[in-house]
């Protein structure tokens, strides 16, 4: 992610308290992560959670960046 940020000269801005639009993106990620990773799998240990989470987040960020580039940037 940091490589993409540097390459495309993106400025990271954190969500502001009380801004419902920004918070909706965070809530969407939490909900999709919970459904697709935590609720859909039974893990034997944290290593399994970490591996699947890392893969999921890379894919999620790639899709989100592609969407933003097409529709916002």
């Amino acid at each position: 992610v940091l490589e993409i940020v540097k390459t495309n000269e993106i400025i990271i801005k954190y969500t502001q308290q009380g801004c419902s639009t920004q918070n909706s993106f965070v809530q969407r990620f939490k909900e999709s992560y919970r459904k697709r990773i935590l609720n859909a799998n039974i893990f034997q240990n944290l290593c399994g959670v970490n591996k699947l989470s890392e893969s999921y987040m890379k894919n999620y960020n790639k899709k989100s960046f592609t969407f933003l580039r097409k529709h916002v940037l």
Side-chain angles (χ1 to χ4, degrees), residues 22-36:
Q22 293 175 353
N23 193 44
S24 64
F25 289 111
V26 174
Q27 293 303 323
R28 179 176 161 245
F29 172 79
K30 286 181 179 180
E31 181 182 348
S32 64
Y33 176 79
R34 195 178 309 110
K35 284 180 182 177
R36 294 180 180 157

Side-chain angles (χ1 to χ4, degrees), residues 1-72:
V1 174
L2 291 178
E3 185 179 316
I4 292 171
V5 169
K6 288 178 183 177
T7 303
N8 293 285
E9 299 178 2
I10 296 171
I11 298 171
I12 296 176
K13 293 187 177 182
Y14 297 95
T15 58
Q16 300 166 348
Q17 288 183 323
C19 186
S20 59
T21 304
Q22 293 175 353
N23 193 44
S24 64
F25 289 111
V26 174
Q27 293 303 323
R28 179 176 161 245
F29 172 79
K30 286 181 179 180
E31 181 182 348
S32 64
Y33 176 79
R34 195 178 309 110
K35 284 180 182 177
R36 294 180 180 157
I37 301 299
L38 299 179
N39 293 349
N41 298 282
I42 297 175
F43 299 99
Q44 299 297 320
N45 54 42
L46 287 176
C47 184
V49 175
N50 290 337
K51 283 182 182 179
L52 199 55
S53 294
E54 186 176 323
S55 174
Y56 177 77
M57 287 189 294
K58 283 181 182 178
N59 188 35
Y60 185 89
N61 287 332
K62 185 177 179 181
K63 285 182 181 178
S64 296
F65 182 74
T66 302
F67 174 82
L68 287 172
R69 191 169 36 180
K70 285 181 180 177
H71 301 287
V72 178

